[in-house]
Amino acid sequence: MQKKVILGGIAAFVLLVVVGIYHYVNVKAKAVLAEQIAVINASYAEMASAGLMPAVALSYAEITANYWQDDYQISDLAINVAGLGAILDVASIRVKGFKPGTLADKGEVWIDGVQLAQGMRILLPAALADLTKNLSLSTQYRYQYQSDSGQLHLQQVLSLGEQFTFNYAFTLQQMQPLWQFAQNLTAMDAQTQQTFSQSTDYQSQLRDAFAQGQLQQGDIVLSNQGFLQALHSALAATPQTLELSNLKLQLEHYLSQQTTMPAEILDALQVFLADPRYLKVSFQLTESLTFAQLQDDSVMAQWQTPEQLIQLTNLQLTVNP
């Protein structure tokens, strides 16, 4: 009996230690996120004092963290501007696959309930203010990196309620240099990371790493349930944005003047402009070209006509199926 009591006591003590460590690590993870936001706010304040930007600050209601499952959430985030108050409210930001100081090969980000704050809407023309009154933006972003092959898969879905959805999925190759750059950046502490991201070295290193990657294939899908029509009406009803409402007519005129674009592509685009409900663009490059080559005029000169570019990308359009 005495042995059972002793063993039971040891087990209870171990359990308390494990639970204590679990909560302690989660608290430390929350502190890391809070520190990141504090560093960002300090950086914004410094740039505002130098006259480089308005006085912007982030605020939030709560941070929750589960370090063991790499799951973090910030609730009721607001973007505030001095003199205006909150200009943008975000119900929640959730990140999975994030661990301070490391870069996971797989991760997801959910941003829900993004809305213009009341103080911002009153600055908009009446038609646009009314359009955005009940408009809430949400997005889900995910990535997966395969270290053995250097392949990176990116996917994002962006939606405005049930009225409008835009999503894409891209597969990229030879992304080892960019991934190494991202790993080095993630390993920095919050202050060093913030300082480096504003330097010229950051821009040049990022550009050099990205230039070596290759875009292999992708899909872009747009689904509209009346939002584009409502936006067009709001723009047309506002003198300041009336010119933007003519974009549809300008696109229709541009397509009507096209003589070199393949008929199947031209017809699909004209159908979508007339009835913008669903558009899917799929492509797969028939030749392996790095991003640096895609920006090189001498390399791209061999694909000058629309037909040649469509053959290079194996472009496929699906409209209002």
Side-chain angles (χ1 to χ4, degrees), residues 66-181:
N66 189 324
Y67 177 86
W68 308 101
Q69 294 184 3
D70 302 334
D71 197 341
Y72 304 84
Q73 183 167 315
I74 302 173
S75 301
D76 296 328
L77 179 75
I79 300 176
N80 309 279
V81 176
L84 293 175
I87 62 171
L88 198 68
D89 295 320
V90 183
S92 69
I93 299 177
R94 182 184 176 194
V95 180
K96 191 170 179 61
F98 165 79
K99 188 171 289 187
T102 64
L103 179 62
D105 285 348
K106 182 178 180 181
E108 294 182 76
V109 178
W110 296 264
I111 303 176
D112 293 319
V114 181
Q115 289 185 303
L116 285 177
Q118 175 63 25
M120 189 63 183
R121 287 202 302 272
I122 63 176
L123 301 177
L124 295 176
L128 289 173
D130 186 60
L131 176 65
T132 60
K133 184 177 181 180
N134 298 310
L135 201 62
S136 177
L137 181 147
S138 296
T139 186
Q140 179 181 2
Y141 170 81
R142 64 179 61 179
Y143 73 87
Q144 184 167 2
Y145 176 70
Q146 297 178 2
S147 57
D148 56 341
S149 64
Q151 183 181 92
L152 178 63
H153 184 73
L154 305 175
Q155 183 177 1
Q156 184 171 11
V157 178
L158 184 150
S159 60
L160 294 170
E162 297 181 353
Q163 300 176 328
F164 183 86
T165 302
F166 172 83
N167 65 76
Y168 68 79
F170 296 145
T171 300
L172 301 89
Q173 303 287 359
Q174 294 186 187
M175 300 305 291
Q176 295 94 332
L178 183 64
W179 199 254
Q180 185 61 56
F181 171 84

Side-chain angles (χ1 to χ4, degrees), residues 151 169-173 214-220 265 280-289 294 303 307-317:
Q151 183 181 92
F170 296 145
T171 300
L172 301 89
Q173 303 287 359
Q214 293 180 350
L215 179 61
Q216 182 185 47
Q217 62 184 23
D219 295 309
I220 301 171
I265 300 295
K280 179 178 180 180
V281 180
S282 300
F283 65 89
Q284 182 169 6
L285 268 66
T286 56
E287 296 192 25
S288 298
L289 297 173
L294 289 173
W303 298 285
E307 291 92 340
Q308 290 172 327
L309 289 174
I310 289 171
Q311 289 177 356
L312 170 66
T313 59
N314 193 27
L315 187 69
Q316 303 289 327
L317 267 63

